[in-house]
Amino acid sequence: PERRLLSTGMPATRFVHCVPVPVGRPSPTSLNGKDLAMPGELSVHFLPSLVDTQDLAGATVVVIDVLRATSTIATALANGAAAVFACAEVAEAIDQAARLPAAEVLRGGERAGLPIEGFDRGNSPAEYTPDAVAGKTIVFTTTNGTRAIHHCRHARQVLLGSFVNLS
């Protein structure tokens, strides 16, 4: 089944798991019927604060928070989480979790590298095992990664990159 990364305040965003292409074979030009042609321009922004959210409107954006957030989201989805809500703020995560059936939700994340009091999980991919997350909806907030995802709310498409889904 398709699993989804959701972020409150922005359109639903699909998590895309990259499939490696064997060495010696050309890269695919389409995936699931969608054209993979590269745009004529590629912009790199090292921090969300270096680009206005409106400048991302209509663009395809790749958020890379290699050390934790995107790796944790990818791991949770790969291990069977039904969905992940990426929330910019702790209060937003608490409100989002309260709208979901308690037995089906896990709250996870960190602030300044520390687990959030009252949350079920921190920000380590190791905490998002199949036994812990299978069938659950994860409501997730981090100091940097989920805020970067939220910063892209006007983009046409948001993809998440990390070492665990690198290909």
Side-chain angles (χ1 to χ4, degrees), residues 4-109:
R4 298 180 69 79
L5 164 71
L6 305 170
S7 179
T8 56
M10 65 185 282
T13 305
R14 280 194 350 190
F15 170 79
V16 176
H17 181 78
C18 299
V19 179
V21 176
V23 175
R25 294 186 62 195
S27 294
T29 57
S30 67
L31 178 65
N32 298 329
K34 293 186 179 182
D35 185 23
L36 293 178
M38 289 295 291
E41 181 179 314
L42 174 67
S43 299
V44 177
H45 307 283
F46 292 103
L47 296 169
S49 61
L50 299 178
V51 61
D52 187 272
T53 60
Q54 292 299 324
D55 291 343
L56 302 174
T60 295
V61 176
V62 180
V63 175
I64 304 170
D65 181 46
V66 175
L67 295 178
R68 289 295 181 144
T70 57
S71 295
T72 301
I73 291 168
T75 299
L77 292 169
N79 286 339
V84 175
F85 280 89
C87 300
E89 303 300 332
V90 173
E92 179 186 355
I94 292 168
D95 290 345
Q96 181 62 48
R99 290 192 292 267
L100 299 167
E104 298 172 17
V105 68
L106 288 175
R107 294 183 300 178

Side-chain angles (χ1 to χ4, degrees), residues 86-93 108-117 119 121-123 140-147:
C87 300
E89 303 300 332
V90 173
E92 179 186 355
E110 57 75 29
R111 276 298 175 271
L114 300 173
I116 300 168
E117 187 176 334
F119 276 40
R121 299 281 182 272
N123 191 30
F140 194 62
T141 184
T142 64
T143 304
N144 296 310
T146 60
R147 288 175 172 169

